[in-house]
Amino acid sequence: MIQKFTILIFFTVFVTTDIFCQSSDRIFYSSFSPQDWDIYLSRDAGRSFKKFTSHPSLDYDAVISPDGRWVVFTSERTGIAQLYIKPLDGNEYPRLLIKSDSFQDQATLSPDGKQIAFVASHEGNADIYLMDFIPDTVQDISVAQNLTNHPGGDFRPTFSPDGQQIAFSSDRGHKIVPHPQFTFARQRKGDIYTININDKKVRRLTDAGAWDGSPIWSLDGKKIYFYSGRNGNNSIFHMNADGSDQKQLFDYPGDAVSPTLLADGKIAFTTWKSENDFKIMQWDPATKETNPLFDNNLDLMFNLKVYSDDLMVFHGGTYAIRREGLGNFGFDGDVLAKIPDSLILGDKRVKIFGVRRAFVAPPHLNNAMLVYDANDILNFMDVFNPLAYGMIFLPLLILALFIIGIVFSIKYRKKIPFWKSLLLSILSVIAGIMVGGVFVYVLILNPYPVNFIRIVLGLLFFLLIFLGWVFYKRKKQLKARERSVYRVSKLYSILFFGLGWFALYCGVFLNLFLNTTINFYQVDYNTMEKFPLFSIEKEANTNPVNSRVLDSKITHDGKAFVFTTGNFGGSARSQGDIWRYDFNTKQLNKISDSPYNDGFADISTDGKLVFRSGRSGYFDIYLKKGNVLENLTNDNHKDNFPAISSMGDKIVFASNRLTADKEYKTMDIFLMNLLPDNSWSKPEKISFGEGQNAHPHFSPDGEWVIYTTEGYGINDEQPLIHPVIFSPQMYGEIVAYNISSKEHHRLTHNKWEDGAPLWIKGFDPVIKGDD
């Protein structure tokens, strides 16, 4: 009853605060946070369990105090990940354990229960902090001791049995390198370290060139268990406490992380098959068998912690329900990733919203309606229109000729050398792969305009028809004197005529193969109601790959919606277009004027248009005022994500211009000012630290710039972040930069990727009955 009453008070305060703060400025950013994790408790060694917490925000990474009285866990119920505490018994509502404006997570308690260690971003990046554990008191983060105090990220601390050392993982020992699949991202590696609490002496235990993480000590303190990705999949290892004799414990077909020692000598770990199937398994060293620890119907189960033979906690829940039907959001769960947070920036009160979707536009200035795009595809088959099914002709043709060639090599081996028929089989496969490869290359791998693709396929058609005609003429000559050879030649003519038909078919019907209609919707982030806004079909010469929506925003005056269609990984000369939808006239117009990669536009209240374009062969920042177009950067660097202030007197953008040619390219944020003679100042760097920075945007008054940064590193081990959600970009905190004071203010403290922030004015709610 007390818990329900407390929840009622919480939501009453939140709703009341929301009403009175409606006129505050609003910042929206994309968040790849999961949804609705709770803490679960088992009192019978996992045979059954029940919810220990129940809150719409995320609760995770729980640990039980050594005296068995308390559960300490991380919760995002205030908007930032912070440590909470709740008695193991009773109905008391969770209480904040540490007062702070920064990230706190991954708590661990000393064996005697007198100290607590945890990860926090109090001084910038993720470090391990130590303080006295006083469960009935809210302590300030300022009394905590920063144990590691290193520019690298330190994670997942755990006390040794004697309480004198802490083992942890860290990315401090490796250079951050490009991700192997996503060149715009960076890949981290981690190792296991120990630190002596008394003298702070750090010792490195592993150096495997992968990520080694989540260390735990054996009961006697002689061994350390951990997971490592050194052999491909993440697997469970152990080693001596000094780092010697590192061995993989067992083979498991999937990933295995977060090891935990069970009371019966078994080892529990977390594994997954997909993003919605995380389970806790147990390995028995006696039988060498691996089985699920829990017999249940939960989808998501992570990070088991054991107190005694029977008592254990973990976090997880059921997978968020996918919103089926037309206009689904393209993700699972609610549109808002968490309860909005209120911040003070200078003399401004700002409400900040995490939106569980990339490139969602903030609401109109006078309402709570987010704008987003959807292709309304409910399943994989909806991607293809019926004419696309004709493409299956190619693999069927190749398969048929491959089989016939083998049959002929056996059946007519006495009349013709068997290798001639086998050569038909081999050449059929090679020719089919080459024709299909050309089509895939010009359509997907290096997407060209549709007209260019048709020219390529047309030339390919004539070449294939010519080859088919050559073999057709030859088979007529051979028919009378050599029927077996005639049959092989006939098959060659069928092969090339068939491939020619495929090239012609693809060229003629290319625009009818895929469902390319993009529908735009508005959704009320308070009520989750959605409404159709408008639709757009790709232009006839636009490659379907280049028709994806990449960027969207509301103009400074609130009158229009601006977005980009293109290919995120496209080159400077690939297709990209800028569109403007007028809310009043409901007219949609393309406002870019080149066949090259235009995009990421912003419009000031006086009509200045700033955008990125590859029309020079490089990505540059362009400014268009009336009919006058000016290339503001005009160099061989990659400049992107421009934005212009509401007054049109400042421009901000991201660029890799400070990175040497042979180095991995990272982006910084640059600011340009309009000078009295109407020229623009040279770009001035305003971002800080190393790594990626992107997606800058101005505040409504032009006094602030917000952007996404990697400058603070990550707040949790990479393998514990990356597989859970699609977040190849490891940068992901939102920063506000004050142009006058040149100070940076960190707005988010998350271990999920945050990005693409946009800042707009607040609005006053319309009260019914007022004139």
Side-chain angles (χ1 to χ4, degrees), residues 120-141:
S121 62
H122 177 57
E123 297 174 55
N125 61 293
D127 281 308
I128 294 173
Y129 288 75
L130 181 70
M131 64 191 307
D132 293 337
F133 178 56
I134 309 176
D136 55 357
T137 302
V138 179
Q139 301 185 76
D140 193 89
I141 188 68

Side-chain angles (χ1 to χ4, degrees), residues 487-501:
R487 290 189 180 94
V488 175
S489 186
K490 180 180 179 180
L491 292 175
Y492 274 110
S493 66
I494 292 174
L495 170 65
F496 290 113
F497 280 138
L499 294 177
W501 178 89

